[in-house]
Amino acid sequence: MGPLVALTFDNGPTRRVTERVLDVLDERGVPATFFAVGRRLDTPDGRAIGSEVVRRGHTLGGHTWSHAVPFGLGDDEVVSRELLDTAAVVGAVGGDPLLFRPYGIGGVVDERLMSAHGARLLRDGGYTCALWTSVPRDWEDADGWPARAVADIAATSHSVVALHDVAAAALDRLDDFLARCLDDGVVFTRALPDACTPIRAGRPTVSYDLLGVSGADPPHEPERHERS
């Protein structure tokens, strides 16, 4: 079996973009996970698109409410609102309200990513926190990102590629990228590896330290999940 790739899309939904991304995925038979920004999802168009993501068999989770406040830099009230308000609207359109991707300021994983309060909310609420192994910066280079993504995929057996369903990002080269991956024997999956899923269903995994939080030590031994 070839390398596993979990394909993810952040920062939508975006009218006339997310729908086209869905069409490309359908044509190639590729499953994906969409991490929606709460304020973009909580509009008539956003709700309709979010529901369509779920209807077509993909996964819909949350990616903060505003996409403006890294949890490591926000006060507790702001962090709570960014997480819980997003979960509410994701659940309202049929998505998974307990699947969450934090805002990483361009894909950076450092002390700004998460606060102790945020980590406790995720654990106590039974959330799954999903990070990434590849951020090919499609929003900066809409033509050149596939080469970087392919190189990242080749470097590990189970990648999580973070693309974006916004204007001038992944869409124009998405079909070419998928075709290259399928030719290379890539197996697309929605399964997320422990290596970039520091909390799964409220329980810390072996990558919990990636969150870099102090005062939020896991209360039990990390869970380990085999590759699936």
Side-chain angles (χ1 to χ4, degrees):
M1 184 171 68
L4 294 176
V5 173
L7 192 61
T8 67
F9 292 88
D10 291 356
N11 294 19
T14 305
R15 188 165 169 258
R16 293 191 294 271
V17 174
T18 307
E19 299 100 322
R20 292 173 62 196
V21 168
L22 290 170
D23 289 342
V24 173
L25 296 173
D26 282 356
E27 289 167 6
R28 293 289 180 181
V30 171
T33 298
F34 290 77
F35 290 99
V37 173
R39 64 178 177 80
R40 297 177 66 89
L41 187 62
D42 193 26
T43 67
D45 281 345
R47 287 174 179 264
I49 297 168
S51 296
E52 183 69 3
V53 167
V54 176
R55 189 190 71 79
R56 297 208 201 182
H58 303 285
T59 300
L60 179 70
H63 187 37
T64 76
W65 181 263
S66 67
H67 199 256
V69 182
F71 280 14
L73 301 179
D75 63 38
D76 290 357
E77 182 179 354
V78 169
V79 168
S80 295
R81 187 168 61 248
E82 289 275 330
L83 177 66
L84 300 177
D85 288 358
T86 302
V89 69
V90 168
V93 300
D96 182 351
L98 299 182
L99 179 61
F100 177 74
R101 170 169 281 172
Y103 170 40
I105 315 179
V108 175
V109 178
D110 61 17
E111 70 280 357
R112 295 169 292 178
L113 186 67
M114 185 57 59
S115 67
H117 176 69
R120 289 192 200 97
L121 285 177
L122 292 170
R123 293 198 334 255
D124 293 347
Y127 285 80
T128 292
C129 179
L131 303 183
W132 46 82
T133 65
S134 173
V135 184
R137 308 190 78 80
D138 54 316
W139 73 94
E140 291 181 340
D141 185 2
D143 185 59
W145 67 265
R148 289 187 290 276
V150 167
D152 290 341
I153 289 167
T156 182
S157 63
H158 192 163
S159 304
V160 179
V161 179
L163 300 177
H164 296 79
D165 56 325
V166 298
L171 177 60
D172 285 349
R173 294 296 307 280
L174 180 60
D175 188 62
D176 293 341
F177 167 70
L178 296 181
R180 166 71 184 275
C181 288
L182 292 169
D183 286 346
D184 289 346
V186 165
V187 177
F188 286 99
T189 176
R190 287 183 290 174
L192 303 170
D194 282 355
C196 59
T197 308
I199 299 173
R200 191 186 298 278
R203 296 182 63 85
T205 75
V206 294
S207 61
Y208 185 79
D209 287 348
L210 287 176
L211 295 180
V213 292
S214 59
D217 295 331
H220 33 60
E221 289 297 313
E223 287 195 338
R224 296 175 184 268
H225 294 259
E226 297 298 323
R227 171 176 166 166
S228 58

